[in-house]
Amino acid sequence: MQDIAKNNFDFIRVLLAFIVFVGHLGYLSTSPSLEFLKHSPVEVGVFAFFIVSGFLIARSYERTSTLKKYVKKRLNRIVPAYLLVVVLCTVLLSLVSTVSFSEYFTSPQTLKYLLWNSVFMNFMAPNLPGVFGNGAVNGALWTLKIEMCFYFLVPVLFLFFGKDNKYRNISLIVFYFLSLVYLNYFEMTDKVEISRQIPGALCYFIGGMLVYFNFEKFIKHKNILFIIAILTVWIDLIFKIKLFSPIMISIIVLYVAYSFKFLNNFGKYGDFTYGIYIFHFPIIRVFATLGLFTNYNPYFMAFICMLVVVGVGVSSWHLYEKRFL
C-alpha cells in the first residue's frame, strides 16, 4: 500500500498558485497582449486548493492529540503571513497612492482596511485611499476567510460523525449535496460571488476529506477512478450544472498527488506557495499602476513580475513564515 506521506502536494500547490497568478495577470495587467492569460482556470485552481486542504486538514486533525494543538498549528500556518501582507500593503502602497502621505495615513479608509482585513473580513474594506484607482487591493484574500472557517469546521464535523463512526461517509455525502444545492442555486440565479462562499465551496473541501477517509480504496482503484472522473467532469460541463464535478475534480487532484513519484521531493527547498498566493495580486497591480505592462514589452514585464512574485514568496517563507511552524 502506498505511503500516504509520500505525495506531490508541494508540486500541486505551486502549480495551483501559478494557475491563479497567470489568470490574474491576464485580468490585471491591462495589456491587450496578455489577455490570452485570462483563459487560465483560476476558479478551478482556487477550488483545488480547498480540495487539498480537505485532505490534509482531515489528516492533521485526526493525527493531532488535542484540539488545542490542532488550532495552534492551523493558526500558525495561516495568520502570521496573512497579517504580514495586510500590514505591508497598508504601509507600502502609500507609495503608489494618488493622495498625499498625510491624507493617506489619516484617512478612515486606511484604518478600516487595516482593521477589517486583519480579521479576515476583506469584503468590508477592500480598498485603500487612492490606490489602484480605488480597486480591490488584494482580491486573492477572499479565500482565506473560507479556509479559516474550514479549519474550525473540521472539529465540528468530527464531533458530528465521530473519528471512527461507520456513518462518516454518509454524513459527509449529505453535507456534500447540501453544499451543491447552495452552489447551484446561486449560480443559476446569476449570483456567482455568493455561490463561491463557504456553503458553496464546502463541497470541494469535503471532496478532499472523502478521499482521505477512503484512502486505501482510492489508491487501489485510482487509475479507473481517474478515467471516470475525467469523463464525469465533462458531463457536468455539458449540462452546465455542478453535481459530480467537485468530487471528481477531487479525485483528479489527488490522483496527481499520488502518482508521478519523481515529483515527491518538489518541496525540499521550502513551501513557497502561500507567500506566492497572498502577495501576487497587489504585486501585479503595482506593475500595472506603474505602467510597466503597457510602456514596456508586456511579455518581458510579465516574466519580471513572475520573478518578483516568486522572490517574495521564497523570502516570506525563509525569513518569516517558517519561524512560526
Side-chain angles (χ1 to χ4, degrees):
M1 182 57 62
Q2 184 165 346
D3 184 356
I4 196 171
K6 293 182 179 180
N7 54 63
N8 303 326
F9 284 122
D10 290 319
F11 167 77
I12 289 174
R13 284 184 293 212
V14 170
L15 176 63
L16 296 178
F18 271 97
I19 287 173
V20 176
F21 165 75
V22 168
H24 285 160
L25 188 61
Y27 280 101
L28 300 174
S29 65
T30 68
S31 170
S33 300
L34 299 177
E35 283 191 356
F36 73 97
L37 298 178
K38 293 180 181 179
H39 296 293
S40 180
V42 174
E43 182 175 303
V44 174
V46 169
F47 287 137
F49 269 122
F50 293 147
I51 291 167
V52 172
S53 288
F55 185 96
L56 295 178
I57 301 310
R59 179 186 173 204
S60 174
Y61 182 74
E62 192 170 55
R63 296 186 175 196
T64 303
S65 57
T66 66
L67 179 61
K68 181 179 179 180
K69 289 181 179 179
Y70 165 79
V71 172
K72 183 180 179 181
K73 284 196 296 184
R74 300 278 54 86
L75 292 181
N76 283 348
R77 184 66 192 97
I78 291 292
V79 175
Y82 178 88
L83 292 178
L84 177 67
V85 72
V86 170
V87 171
L88 287 180
C89 282
T90 303
V91 175
L92 296 181
L93 291 181
S94 62
L95 298 172
V96 295
S97 175
T98 56
V99 303
S100 66
F101 283 140
S102 59
E103 184 179 349
Y104 179 91
F105 285 107
T106 57
S107 171
Q109 189 178 352
T110 303
L111 181 60
K112 287 180 181 179
Y113 177 85
L114 182 60
L115 293 179
W116 283 115
N117 282 266
S118 294
V119 293
F120 293 87
M121 302 289 280
N122 322 94
F123 60 93
M124 295 294 294
N127 313 319
L128 283 167
V131 174
F132 306 146
N134 285 325
V137 169
N138 198 340
L141 296 187
W142 71 272
T143 63
L144 274 300
K145 69 177 183 296
I146 295 177
E147 186 81 0
M148 285 291 290
C149 288
F150 286 161
Y151 287 175
F152 291 106
L153 179 63
V154 165
V156 176
L157 289 175
F158 270 86
L159 185 65
F160 183 82
F161 53 62
K163 285 193 173 184
D164 299 307
N165 193 320
K166 64 180 180 179
Y167 299 111
R168 177 168 54 195
N169 287 337
I170 297 175
S171 302
L172 287 175
I173 289 170
V174 169
F175 283 114
Y176 174 84
F177 281 105
L178 288 175
S179 173
L180 286 180
V181 170
Y182 176 97
L183 177 63
N184 285 290
Y185 171 78
F186 284 107
E187 283 198 348
M188 290 177 179
T189 54
D190 293 325
K191 297 177 180 177
V192 179
E193 292 301 320
I194 297 177
S195 74
R196 295 172 180 171
Q197 297 307 311
I198 296 166
L202 181 62
C203 56
Y204 293 93
F205 189 80
I206 285 178
M209 292 184 72
L210 281 169
V211 174
Y212 170 72
F213 290 131
N214 299 277
F215 183 73
E216 292 186 3
K217 292 179 181 178
F218 167 77
I219 291 297
K220 183 179 180 180
H221 303 290
K222 69 175 183 175
N223 293 325
I224 187 65
L225 286 172
F226 177 74
I227 295 171
I228 293 171
I230 293 292
L231 296 175
T232 309
V233 168
W234 278 106
I235 293 173
D236 275 17
L237 288 173
I238 292 170
F239 289 97
K240 297 181 179 179
I241 185 172
K242 290 185 174 72
L243 185 59
F244 300 109
S245 54
I247 187 65
M248 293 304 158
I249 294 173
S250 301
I251 289 172
I252 293 169
V253 170
L254 291 160
Y255 173 86
V256 176
Y258 287 96
S259 304
F260 317 111
K261 292 182 179 180
F262 64 92
L263 296 173
N264 283 179
N265 294 322
F266 194 84
K268 63 181 178 180
Y269 297 111
D271 183 3
F272 318 133
T273 309
Y274 188 39
I276 290 171
Y277 183 80
I278 62 176
F279 281 101
H280 80 274
F281 198 97
I283 290 174
I284 295 173
R285 299 216 71 170
V286 168
F287 270 63
T289 298
L290 297 176
L292 300 181
F293 296 116
T294 52
N295 296 330
Y296 301 92
N297 185 297
Y299 303 109
F300 178 70
M301 294 314 303
F303 178 70
I304 295 300
C305 183
M306 181 191 71
L307 292 182
V308 172
V309 168
V310 172
V312 170
V314 171
S315 300
S316 176
W317 169 256
H318 283 293
L319 301 178
Y320 187 73
E321 293 174 54
K322 71 178 183 180
R323 297 172 181 265
F324 296 90
L325 301 178

